[in-house]
Amino acid sequence: MSPYPRYSACTPSSKNVIGEPHVRARFAPFADDQDFDLEGYLIHFEDFMWQNDFPDPDLEMIQIEVARRLHFKHNFSFDEIDHLDILTFRLRETNSKGLIWNSAQRDYAWWPGSQTNELQHLRTNWVDPDLDLYENVTKDLTSFCPNLNCLHTSCGIHKVINPVFPPKPTLTADMVKSAGGTPCKKNCYKSIEPDNMNTTNNHWDKADSSLFKSVMKLAPDASPCDLAVICRKSCVEVLISTILMYIERLNFFKDEDIATGDREDSRVSLKKILFLEDTEDVLITAVDPCYHLGACNQFSDCPCYHNRQRCQRSCRCSKKCEIRYKGCKCGHRGNKSTPCCVDPRSCECRRLNRECDPELCRGCDARGAHEAKCQNTDLQKGRFVKIRIQESPFGLGAFATSDIRKGSYIGEYTGEMTADNIESYLGPMQKHTGLNYTFDLTKDNIKANAPGVLLDSWDIGNEMRYLNHSTEPNCKASPLHVNGVHRIVICALTDIRPNTELTLDYGPNYWRDH
């Protein structure tokens, strides 16, 4: 039997990931190949990942067991154990740092010394005593990814900073005091004349005040009666603190501003700009959702405006933002089951190389309540054709397993996304193997004056990396804007018969640079 052709494997992924700077080498590739420039490769790194600061898992387990016995058997507190200075790390530095956190990232190893059944295990959940209620509630929101493609905490794909802005109050102090309704109890503030109210809460301690201020940040328009239940105080006491709190907040929010809401945004006229996606060329730029204060205009720090891009649905600006994308208007007429969003001349999303947004494109039913309605959601719903990877004249290639119609989506090209101004460590390996899986999405768009994006599937990718080059390709790669993220879809240029190899034109830049 002849040996299988040499190929480069990768970690399979159905999504793009953000490429991190590789400052530590994972291993020495092609170490036994004299033709490979190993020194030229390793010069890009500081050291090997396993060479320095490598935590010994066995030592970690022993230290956890020592801490467990000191804590539960000998009644040592965590601080007292840390002061003994016998552990490599402090037991608990934060809710996501320390010896307990490190050991909880994997299964405990079985060994006789850890089987003291009468002792409890150290608790991994922990609330930071130095944080108030508001800080504890919102601390994890900063790591929550608002992108529709994720919608979960600790996203490793987009890594967008997601700051938390307290909600703005819409009720003034006078509006709270004059609110109608039935009194909640005998001593309700609604049944007491304002002139007879005590305006101080001197008996509230620090914890009472901290709890109240946190609740006010989370729900600034809550009624004193509701706040009384939450804070376990009388509504008269809460009203007094509410009034005092509003007086404090007048330094930041004037009553007249609270009453008018976001009208200040309309006082500044927006300087018109030509959005990149409205130009002839499709431009891909790496701009995270904006999260600044104020309107998105020439006077703000809005990255969307200054990079000539429309604000996304995951941006933190007002829903009334003038440069926010509003979605297409397809499907507002005719039969609800009639397919739409097919022709770029009638569909705004198609014209701008966007897939329809399930939240914004309501008329075309992008959410999919009627299966045959919107025809512009194939990528986000994963509607691809099946292909087969097998030997081809150029190593491994991708082949059709059935008839593929022109325009059908073959699949999404996935990989690591990096800025085009970051030096890649892959150069020596690409040169040695003659393989390159990098998509340069902005090489021809220097005039955009925006950061470029590279998409590489050397380490992480999917089967789309096996499409070979041809001067007469039957497929093409097209960038699409999907729910705030630019993605690459491979689609058929012509009708394709079964067992036909799928090919792309890599373009002149590929052969010039590689």
Side-chain angles (χ1 to χ4, degrees), residues 124-137:
T124 56
N125 57 324
W126 178 62
V127 176
D128 192 339
D130 296 328
L131 302 181
D132 60 24
L133 175 65
Y134 176 79
E135 292 168 331
N136 268 311
V137 169

Side-chain angles (χ1 to χ4, degrees), residues 468-476 493-494 501-506:
N468 289 313
H469 168 76
S470 173
T471 55
E472 297 181 356
N474 52 20
C475 298
K476 70 172 182 177
L493 281 174
T494 62
E501 183 174 7
L502 307 175
T503 56
L504 292 171
D505 184 354
Y506 290 178

Side-chain angles (χ1 to χ4, degrees), residues 142-264:
T142 57
S143 62
F144 180 83
C145 180
N147 191 282
L148 187 63
N149 300 290
C150 288
L151 294 181
H152 61 76
T153 304
S154 301
C155 164
I157 300 175
H158 305 108
K159 296 191 177 179
V160 177
I161 299 174
N162 188 32
V164 178
F165 297 135
K168 294 182 180 180
T170 60
L171 301 178
T172 64
D174 289 336
M175 294 168 68
V176 172
K177 287 189 291 184
S178 61
T182 305
C184 62
K185 56 181 67 175
K186 288 183 179 180
N187 62 343
C188 178
Y189 79 99
K190 297 177 183 177
S191 60
I192 302 176
E193 293 296 328
D195 295 338
N196 297 329
M197 286 185 182
N198 180 15
T199 57
T200 61
N201 281 332
N202 295 327
H203 61 287
W204 279 30
D205 59 20
K206 184 178 179 180
D208 293 332
S209 300
S210 175
L211 174 61
F212 174 76
K213 291 180 179 181
S214 291
V215 175
M216 284 297 294
K217 287 181 180 179
L218 294 169
D221 287 334
S223 71
C225 297
D226 293 334
L227 292 170
V229 177
I230 299 173
C231 298
R232 298 181 178 87
K233 301 292 182 181
S234 71
C235 58
V236 175
E237 292 179 81
V238 170
L239 175 65
I240 294 170
S241 290
T242 304
I243 296 172
L244 295 176
M245 189 67 176
Y246 274 123
I247 292 174
E248 285 185 36
R249 296 182 74 142
L250 286 177
N251 295 325
F252 305 97
F253 303 108
K254 302 296 183 183
D255 270 1
E256 55 269 24
D257 293 335
I258 295 174
T260 55
D262 293 331
R263 292 181 188 174
E264 71 271 12

